Amino acid sequence: METQQSEVLLSIRDLHFKFTLRGQVLHAIRGISLDVMRGESLAIVGESGSGKSVLVKTLMGLNDQNGFIESGQILYGGRDLATLHTDAEWQSIRGREIAMVLQDPMTSLNPLKTIGWQIREAVELHQNLHGEAARKAACEMLAEVGISDPERRYKQYPHEFSGGMRQRVVIAIAMACRPKILICDEPTTALDVTIQAQILGLIKEMQKKYDLTTIYITHDLGVVANVADRIAVMYAGDIVEIGRCEEVFYDPRHPYTWALLSSLPQLGVKGQPLYAIQGTPPNLFHEVKGDAFAPRNPQALKIDFVKRPPMLAVSPTHSARTWLLDPRAPKVEPPEHIRALRERGRALRQQGEVTSHG
Amino acid sequence: MADPREKMLEVDHIRVQFGKKRHPFVAVRDVSFDIYKGETFGLVGESGSGKTTIGRAIIRANPLAAGEIRFEGQRISGRLSAARDRQVTRDIQMIFQDPMSSLNERAKVGYIVAEGLYAPGRHCSEEERRQKVAKALSDVGLLPEFASRFPHEFSGGQRQRIGIARALILEPKLIVADEPISALDVSIRAQVLNLLAALQKERGLTYLFIAHDLSVVRFICDRIAVIHKGDIVELAESEQLFAHPLHPYTQALLSAIPQPDPIAERQKKLLVYDPSCHDYRVDKPVWTEVEPGHFVLGNQRELEGYRKMLTR
Ligand SMILES: Nc1ncnc2c1ncn2[C@@H]1O[C@H](COP(=O)(O)OP(=O)(O)OP(=O)(O)O)[C@@H](O)[C@H]1O
Ligand SMILES: Nc1ncnc2c1ncn2[C@@H]1O[C@H](COP(=O)(O)OP(=O)(O)OP(=O)(O)O)[C@@H](O)[C@H]1O
Ligand SMILES: [Mg+2]
Ligand SMILES: [Mg+2]
């Protein structure tokens, strides 16, 4: 599975995004820097309301009218997407370069047009095909996303499709534009697990076939474990940890990541409360001071309340925004479950070394 | 064997269909189950299998084409007197599935959450209402200040919690929770699950819990029913269902559960359910209790096999 992923395809640099709301200002993205590598599958996880959807929508200029980029750059294909404003300016990016699949396929489909018409429209616009050739390409696209009897299905309307089939159609439309980056914002939350597995398989297939880069947003850490090459963890408008999939799962370093991984229902004992993080996330109408997670972290250091920690490296591919990684920090033991995960990671690594040497 | 537990809700051979009378689309064919007082009853299954339709039938938003639904022993499907209608509306609340489209976009969150408190017969002062809203919001991990904002200004998970606060504020007896936590991160999910469990202990609340996330369902539900294309195919106590799934659809469903562990997840073996594995042409399927509390849909040949699987 290891591929060479060294070419930066898209680079977000110190991005700040704000919403104005009846005279108040909400600081939704607070200085995020992120390189997306060509061909990789990046998963973004984190607190509800932490800015995951807002972040990916800035890549397509799809945020609500009351939002604006205050500063920062989004470098892609020699351009800075942060400087684009009008729909006309975005035209060459949306769909063509970067496409999006949302949680609820019904919001992306037009209920009044046939499935075939909707795919064909994308084909005509982006592949420069017309007439019978466009119709054929649309049918092929339907078959490619695993819909049987595409000739008949072509003439049907969205309400005649099941949820899983609709999501396949949305993927077919997105892929008909031949994008370089496919953003999936909770692509399978509305689907049962058997169909979810099929859709994830389908996206992976597309990724291989079309040299696609994917960005997943999901709350399902099982999905993340399945699809991600790298994981970015967000909290309160910031990326607090980023690393390769195994690094974040088996050796997490930020206290928020610890808390997140400790809240899984799989770890629960029936009849007893699950572990949950105390308190509420910060109000983003106010400036956040220090480490945004500190007020909810029982082991927070003094400095966490005063100064925002820098991104500190754990390995060349893994870093976290926490003072715990500073050489001057006292030793703080992670919770029990995280220590168990670390053990598991270590055992697996040793096993791997044995097999790769043997 | 008489069951000492008290039945809160009885869903009795219901059928729900849509579309024209002459060519109806049958969304729920013939579904029966009971929910006991104080329990959490899980309903899982394929997308489009009829889970939401059943939930909406229970809150009386979908009329029944056949069958009956009883709440605390009394019929609630069909026509009811105005007073009874009000009472039932108050006692049974639903948390709706889709957080992006189930909230009134023109109303402020404070009003949306408090709406049920304005119903006739509710005497609630302005101040009391304000306090209840603030409490309901903070119970689900939202800031009380959010009351003055509009739904579109929130993230998916924040909107979902607005829907939960709205149902809880009325202190119902039965909550139909349709995918109540699908858009939440695991920590807030844990917080909401803890809240639901605490309310159950405190007030004896009963839940019908519909969800795709089976690790959550396993954790929170006492009993689980598995539904496939409008038919319930298996029903058992949670641990029993996970330990001994009998119906091939249940087995496929359980095999697909995502595991939050990269290595285990990538080695996972999926089972695929092929409905044509059943030969129901002569030997018809019947809903049968194969061991105490464990029901499965199957024909005589299949049932024999299921019983064998249990003795092994
Ligand atoms: N139009 C808007 N006006 C004001 N605030 C907004 C608007 N849209 C989003 N926000 C705020 O921006 C923040 C980030 O929202 P976003 O939708 O990115 O969250 P998210 O991480 O995707 O959460 P979820 O997991 O719940 O979907 C939230 O605090 C939200 O309330
Ligand atoms: N108002 C309606 N008119 C026509 N058909 C409907 C209506 N509501 C639901 N259906 C159909 O009934 C079937 C069952 O839908 P339902 O929403 O109950 O499924 P579900 O099990 O809740 O699925 P999901 O897991 O995707 O939410 C589907 O085929 C759906 O298209
Ligand atoms: Mg979101
Ligand atoms: Mg539903």
Side-chain angles (χ1 to χ4, degrees):
Chain A
M1 272 249 320
E2 289 300 299
T3 41
Q4 277 300 311
Q5 292 161 349
S6 46
E7 187 190 333
V8 175
L9 184 63
L10 180 141
S11 181
I12 301 174
R13 306 251 172 104
D14 198 21
L15 187 72
H16 287 261
F17 193 93
K18 292 184 170 174
F19 289 103
T20 47
L21 213 51
R22 296 177 282 283
Q24 276 188 301
V25 175
L26 185 147
H27 202 158
I29 301 292
R30 303 185 301 119
I32 284 184
S33 296
L34 172 67
D35 284 341
V36 180
M37 304 298 176
R38 177 163 169 188
E40 81 167 330
S41 165
L42 172 74
I44 305 179
V45 301
E47 184 93 11
S48 162
S50 60
K52 302 180 295 295
S53 298
V54 169
L55 179 67
V56 295
K57 281 186 199 159
T58 59
L59 307 183
M60 296 179 71
L62 289 177
N63 272 299
D64 290 338
Q65 288 297 319
N66 63 329
F68 61 95
I69 293 177
E70 188 195 48
S71 62
Q73 296 171 303
I74 303 170
L75 303 179
Y76 177 81
R79 299 164 72 181
D80 182 2
L81 306 186
T83 61
L84 307 186
H85 292 291
T86 61
D87 281 349
E89 287 173 322
W90 277 106
Q91 194 83 70
S92 60
I93 299 291
R94 282 185 200 151
R96 223 169 263 252
E97 300 288 335
I98 307 178
M100 184 124 89
V101 173
L102 297 173
Q103 172 179 349
D104 180 4
M106 264 329 228
T107 55
S108 324
L109 295 174
N110 183 340
L112 303 177
K113 298 273 191 220
T114 62
I115 294 293
W117 189 94
Q118 299 187 50
I119 301 179
R120 182 178 165 161
E121 187 190 30
V123 167
E124 288 181 348
L125 209 66
H126 295 284
Q127 293 178 28
N128 218 0
L129 295 173
H130 299 280
E132 180 55 21
R135 201 196 64 84
K136 254 186 91 192
C139 263
E140 276 163 18
M141 210 61 228
L142 264 181
E144 197 164 320
V145 295
I147 289 178
S148 51
D149 200 359
E151 293 284 341
R152 183 172 65 88
R153 289 296 190 172
Y154 187 93
K155 296 182 208 116
Q156 293 187 328
Y157 290 86
H159 73 265
E160 297 175 79
F161 280 52
S162 74
M165 281 160 66
R166 280 183 212 137
Q167 198 62 297
R168 284 172 192 263
V169 171
V170 173
I171 292 171
I173 294 175
M175 291 310 299
C177 312
R178 300 280 184 266
K180 307 275 190 318
I181 302 180
L182 183 68
I183 298 170
C184 305
D185 195 346
E186 308 198 34
T188 57
T189 356
L191 305 173
D192 68 83
V193 288
T194 57
I195 295 174
Q196 171 173 10
Q198 293 169 10
I199 296 284
L200 296 180
L202 171 65
I203 298 175
K204 277 189 187 169
E205 220 175 88
M206 296 287 143
Q207 179 152 21
K208 267 208 210 103
K209 187 160 174 193
Y210 294 108
D211 186 24
L212 189 69
T213 304
T214 50
I215 302 177
Y216 283 89
I217 296 179
T218 174
H219 290 304
D220 190 328
L221 294 174
V223 170
V224 175
N226 184 310
V227 302
D229 297 319
R230 283 199 307 153
I231 301 173
V233 183
M234 284 189 66
Y235 186 81
D238 200 358
I239 291 179
V240 296
E241 180 153 8
I242 185 163
R244 289 192 300 115
C245 186
E246 298 77 30
E247 290 174 322
V248 175
F249 265 103
Y250 299 130
D251 187 20
R253 296 305 180 100
H254 196 282
Y256 173 67
T257 317
W258 292 350
L260 195 68
L261 289 172
S262 303
S263 314
L264 289 166
Q266 283 87 345
L267 301 175
V269 178
K270 242 185 165 144
Q272 287 172 26
L274 286 166
Y275 173 82
I277 305 171
Q278 298 305 306
T280 41
N283 186 339
L284 294 174
F285 281 119
H286 304 180
E287 258 332 288
V288 174
K289 217 174 158 201
D291 180 335
F293 188 60
R296 304 174 73 188
N297 175 9
Q299 296 165 295
L301 308 174
K302 267 207 193 92
I303 188 166
D304 283 334
F305 293 94
V306 185
K307 199 163 170 212
R308 182 185 187 214
M311 260 300 186
L312 295 169
V314 182
S315 79
T317 47
H318 183 191
S319 46
R321 198 181 276 290
T322 167
W323 286 114
L324 293 180
L325 291 173
D326 188 288
R328 291 161 293 176
K331 197 163 163 44
V332 171
E333 274 294 311
E336 193 190 321
H337 171 59
I338 303 300
R339 293 203 299 271
L341 281 176
R342 225 181 242 177
E343 270 316 305
R344 182 169 159 73
R346 205 169 288 147
L348 291 167
R349 251 195 317 280
Q350 270 165 9
Q351 237 177 37
E353 267 158 30
V354 172
T355 45
S356 65
H357 287 292
Chain B
M1 201 178 74
D3 205 306
R5 291 176 291 182
E6 195 182 323
K7 283 176 188 168
M8 173 126 230
L9 186 84
E10 295 160 81
V11 174
D12 193 358
H13 295 285
I14 66 164
R15 178 187 177 90
V16 182
Q17 51 196 37
F18 297 108
K20 301 193 189 73
K21 270 256 165 56
R22 254 200 254 148
H23 307 283
F25 170 76
V26 180
V28 174
R29 206 180 328 276
D30 176 12
V31 160
S32 300
F33 57 86
D34 296 333
I35 303 182
Y36 298 108
K37 190 168 186 315
E39 87 165 330
T40 302
F41 185 89
L43 193 54
V44 303
E46 210 180 7
S47 329
S49 57
K51 301 182 296 295
T52 299
T53 305
I54 293 172
R56 288 174 56 85
I58 292 170
I59 63 159
R60 300 170 304 140
N62 282 339
L64 302 185
E68 185 174 286
I69 298 176
R70 290 182 295 276
F71 178 69
E72 296 183 324
Q74 287 180 314
R75 178 183 62 83
I76 55 165
S77 46
R79 287 187 77 82
L80 298 181
S81 73
R84 175 86 180 125
D85 183 88
R86 262 207 304 279
Q87 186 59 44
V88 176
T89 306
R90 177 187 300 191
D91 285 346
I92 308 179
Q93 281 292 314
M94 181 151 172
I95 301 170
F96 290 96
Q97 174 169 14
D98 182 9
M100 294 326 270
S101 63
S102 61
L103 303 177
N104 177 354
E105 290 298 329
R106 273 166 302 185
K108 285 190 180 167
V109 166
Y111 176 80
I112 293 176
V113 171
E115 196 176 9
L117 297 175
Y118 290 95
R122 286 247 166 187
H123 303 290
C124 201
S125 73
E126 197 50 50
E127 176 56 23
E128 217 177 312
R129 209 156 26 223
R130 210 187 47 74
Q131 275 175 11
K132 280 192 173 178
V133 169
K135 165 105 180 25
L137 287 176
S138 62
D139 273 350
V140 294
L142 297 174
L143 298 168
E145 295 97 286
F146 286 1
S148 60
R149 285 166 63 180
F150 291 93
H152 75 264
E153 299 160 0
F154 289 94
S155 77
Q158 289 167 333
R159 295 171 61 106
Q160 193 161 46
R161 282 176 281 163
I162 293 168
I164 298 174
R166 170 187 162 85
L168 291 181
I169 203 169
L170 296 169
E171 306 194 1
K173 292 181 181 165
L174 170 70
I175 293 186
V176 177
D178 192 1
E179 294 277 1
I181 51 174
S182 61
L184 305 181
D185 67 81
V186 284
S187 178
I188 293 172
R189 206 173 275 194
Q191 187 186 338
V192 170
L193 290 175
N194 290 345
L195 172 71
L196 295 180
L199 290 174
Q200 187 161 50
K201 261 195 199 140
E202 254 168 55
R203 302 189 203 150
L205 258 173
T206 305
Y207 301 109
L208 171 59
F209 196 91
I210 302 173
H212 285 309
D213 186 336
L214 289 149
S215 17
V216 166
V217 172
R218 178 184 196 166
F219 176 76
I220 191 165
C221 293
D222 301 302
R223 292 188 304 144
I224 300 174
V226 180
I227 180 169
H228 184 260
K229 292 218 183 350
D231 288 314
I232 294 189
V233 297
E234 190 161 357
L235 191 165
E237 295 204 348
S238 303
E239 285 316 308
Q240 183 61 4
L241 189 84
F242 275 82
H244 301 288
L246 297 177
H247 196 277
Y249 178 65
T250 313
Q251 293 179 347
L253 201 63
L254 299 190
S255 79
I257 299 177
Q259 295 165 28
D261 180 318
I263 292 174
E265 173 66 20
R266 286 167 199 195
Q267 289 170 347
K268 188 171 80 179
K269 288 264 172 306
L270 288 175
L271 298 175
V272 176
Y273 174 54
D274 177 6
S276 70
C277 71
H278 306 287
D279 182 2
Y280 289 156
R281 280 168 306 181
V282 185
D283 191 358
K284 299 277 181 224
V286 277
W287 182 238
T288 309
E289 188 168 14
V290 286
E291 61 176 327
H294 193 162
F295 296 81
V296 62
L297 185 69
N299 62 18
Q300 294 312 317
R301 250 195 62 212
E302 290 173 333
L303 290 171
E304 202 180 304
Y306 296 155
R307 289 199 182 93
K308 270 209 197 103
M309 281 163 73
L310 285 171
T311 53
R312 243 185 274 137

